[in-house]
Amino acid sequence: MKKLITFCSVLTTSLLFSSIVSADTHKPRGGNDHGHIQAWYDSSVSSYGYTGHFDHAVSTWNGRNANVSISKTLNNSGQVDRYYVGTTAELGLFGRTNWYNDLGINVDPDWFSYSRSVVSIYHNQLKDYQNGVNFTSTRIRHTTAHEVGHSLGLAHTTSSAQLSTSLMTEGNNPSLNRNINTPSSYDISELRSLYGGPAFMALPINVDTSNQSEINIETQHESFATLSELSDYSDLVVIASPIDDFENRKHIATFYDTGDLQDYYTLNNLSIKKVLTGDQSNIGENLEVIESNGLVDFGAQKIKMINDGYKETQKGQDYIMFLKKDSQGQYQIINRNEGTFTIDEVNSATINRPGTFITRENSVRDNLLSEIANTYSNEL
């Protein structure tokens, strides 16, 4: 996904100079007064007990020496941000932000300017985190503040030096600290790069007007960096192959009463080749599992919604998959791109042929792949 490159002029008390930075931001918010934002709280916010958590998220981004102010409104029409709390079918998904343009069309903020956002927090998944052991106010406020940061146009932090302190660090990064619920100095500098402030004034470039068919959504979700953690969380580890192409799978989407997108996922029918771990007594030749990406029909157009850059599994390709069963008995693929590994990748890692099939997308995935190869090579 193409990221926004931003030109900045940096002003200090003694020196004025220009620099070019690669900011961890999306496209800037549209409108002449784009930094002055109104936020509407759906009734679900109070009914689930999240009013204080969202109030914290709003206040922690206000007054940060950036030209940003978020104020609450009772009017949910027009270009106001909307905050919801509800449930999702996707295990380990804590929060999600969607962006909309002036026409009310869901857009990808990496490519298009937007005029309002919809923040959804998923209470059932937060409550189930580690069986409720860490369902704390601090953790909830990390999630709400993180998602409100996305609504302001901040992307996931990529600077390695900032990962342990940034509020915007991605959920699958081992440096993530979920006890942080206020923006770091780096987060604030990124906010200023979008909206201006005492230290930064930003001018966006590289506006793309190509036709949009995909949207990547950055979410807060549970993730696992080691095979031990991933295996302990999984109920089933299988070798399986998708039967249908992605377009021909069952695509599920739900919407709030206001018409805002609430949830989406795909039902992926798998051909089970082998059960590596877990109870296989009720597992037949085929198994339908939930996969996080989905095709959503918005009426005027059908858009592929992608969670955190997840690459859906491909028809006819054999994978080792890590699955978790929800309360309804439905299995789901977990851990995003670190939850599916092609047999070609595993074989390549087993015989140590660097550069063959192994994508080297990130160190977490590579380390998991190495552990999987060592653990399951005799099962292939």
Side-chain angles (χ1 to χ4, degrees), residues 145-176:
H146 178 101
E147 292 303 328
V148 170
H150 281 321
S151 78
L152 296 173
L154 297 181
H156 285 145
T157 297
T158 59
S159 172
S160 58
Q162 308 297 331
L163 293 172
S164 63
T165 57
S166 173
L167 178 60
M168 301 308 297
T169 299
E170 189 172 8
N172 67 351
N173 194 290
S175 297
L176 172 68

Side-chain angles (χ1 to χ4, degrees), residues 121-159:
I121 303 299
Y122 300 116
H123 174 80
N124 63 321
Q125 299 302 329
L126 274 167
K127 186 175 182 180
D128 287 342
Y129 174 68
Q130 292 187 353
N131 296 317
V133 172
N134 288 332
F135 186 60
T136 64
S137 177
T138 297
R139 178 178 178 77
I140 299 170
R141 292 187 177 189
H142 168 90
T143 302
T144 54
H146 178 101
E147 292 303 328
V148 170
H150 281 321
S151 78
L152 296 173
L154 297 181
H156 285 145
T157 297
T158 59
S159 172

Side-chain angles (χ1 to χ4, degrees), residues 24 41 48 60 77 88 106 118 126 131 135 152 158 169-170 187 204 211 235 262 304 314 319 360 362 370 379:
D24 292 325
Y41 289 30
Y48 279 98
T60 202
S77 62
T88 178
N106 212 170
V118 172
L126 274 167
N131 296 317
F135 186 60
L152 296 173
T158 59
T169 299
E170 189 172 8
D187 299 329
N211 185 42
D235 291 319
Q262 178 186 30
K304 179 180 179 181
Q314 301 298 309
Y319 295 84
R360 302 295 173 190
N362 58 62
S370 178
E379 302 282 350

Side-chain angles (χ1 to χ4, degrees), residues 100 106 253-263 296-299:
Y100 295 83
N106 212 170
T254 58
F255 293 82
Y256 295 108
D257 292 341
T258 55
D260 298 318
L261 181 61
Q262 178 186 30
D263 196 14
V296 178
D297 190 344
F298 289 97

Side-chain angles (χ1 to χ4, degrees), residues 16 53 120 144 181 184 250 298 324 326 336 341 345 363:
L16 178 66
H53 302 314
S120 300
T144 54
N181 56 33
S184 68
K250 298 177 185 176
F298 289 97
K324 179 75 173 177
D326 64 17
R336 296 288 192 265
F341 299 83
E345 287 180 298
S363 59

Side-chain angles (χ1 to χ4, degrees), residues 233-248:
Y233 186 72
S234 302
D235 291 319
L236 201 64
V237 181
V238 298
I239 298 177
S241 176
I243 295 173
D244 302 310
D245 289 322
F246 176 75
E247 293 77 10
N248 295 326

Side-chain angles (χ1 to χ4, degrees), residues 158-360:
T158 59
S159 172
S160 58
Q162 308 297 331
L163 293 172
S164 63
T165 57
S166 173
L167 178 60
M168 301 308 297
T169 299
E170 189 172 8
N172 67 351
N173 194 290
S175 297
L176 172 68
N177 183 352
R178 294 193 187 277
N179 291 320
I180 293 172
N181 56 33
T182 59
S184 68
S185 58
Y186 179 79
D187 299 329
I188 295 167
S189 72
E190 296 297 274
L191 190 69
R192 292 174 186 167
S193 77
L194 284 176
Y195 296 97
F200 293 88
M201 186 59 67
L203 296 173
I205 64 171
N206 292 342
V207 175
D208 190 284
T209 58
S210 61
N211 185 42
Q212 182 181 17
S213 60
E214 297 182 353
I215 296 178
N216 183 59
I217 301 293
E218 295 175 336
T219 71
Q220 274 281 288
H221 65 279
E222 185 57 286
S223 58
F224 306 94
T226 68
L227 181 58
S228 175
E229 294 172 333
L230 182 56
S231 298
D232 287 345
Y233 186 72
S234 302
D235 291 319
L236 201 64
V237 181
V238 298
I239 298 177
S241 176
I243 295 173
D244 302 310
D245 289 322
F246 176 75
E247 293 77 10
N248 295 326
R249 297 169 193 171
K250 298 177 185 176
H251 300 278
I252 311 298
T254 58
F255 293 82
Y256 295 108
D257 292 341
T258 55
D260 298 318
L261 181 61
Q262 178 186 30
D263 196 14
Y264 53 85
Y265 55 91
T266 298
L267 294 177
N268 186 358
N269 193 18
L270 302 178
S271 172
I272 303 299
K273 307 298 178 64
K274 189 174 186 179
V275 175
L276 298 177
T277 63
D279 182 6
Q280 57 183 312
S281 57
N282 294 319
I283 305 299
E285 294 182 357
N286 294 343
L287 180 66
E288 192 172 63
V289 303
I290 290 176
E291 197 166 14
S292 62
N293 293 357
L295 292 176
V296 178
D297 190 344
F298 289 97
Q301 57 183 331
K302 184 176 288 188
I303 296 178
K304 179 180 179 181
M305 307 297 290
I306 302 169
N307 280 333
D308 307 294
Y310 174 72
K311 299 175 182 177
E312 68 274 357
T313 54
Q314 301 298 309
K315 176 183 177 180
Q317 177 73 62
D318 289 339
Y319 295 84
I320 291 181
M321 297 183 183
F322 292 82
L323 308 177
K324 179 75 173 177
K325 184 190 288 186
D326 64 17
S327 59
Q328 306 302 313
Q330 177 75 60
Y331 283 98
Q332 304 186 21
I333 298 173
I334 59 173
N335 219 36
R336 296 288 192 265
N337 287 321
E338 288 75 55
T340 64
F341 299 83
T342 69
I343 298 301
D344 288 334
E345 287 180 298
V346 177
N347 284 333
S348 177
T350 301
I351 61 178
N352 193 25
R353 294 203 307 265
T356 305
F357 297 112
I358 300 177
T359 60
R360 302 295 173 190

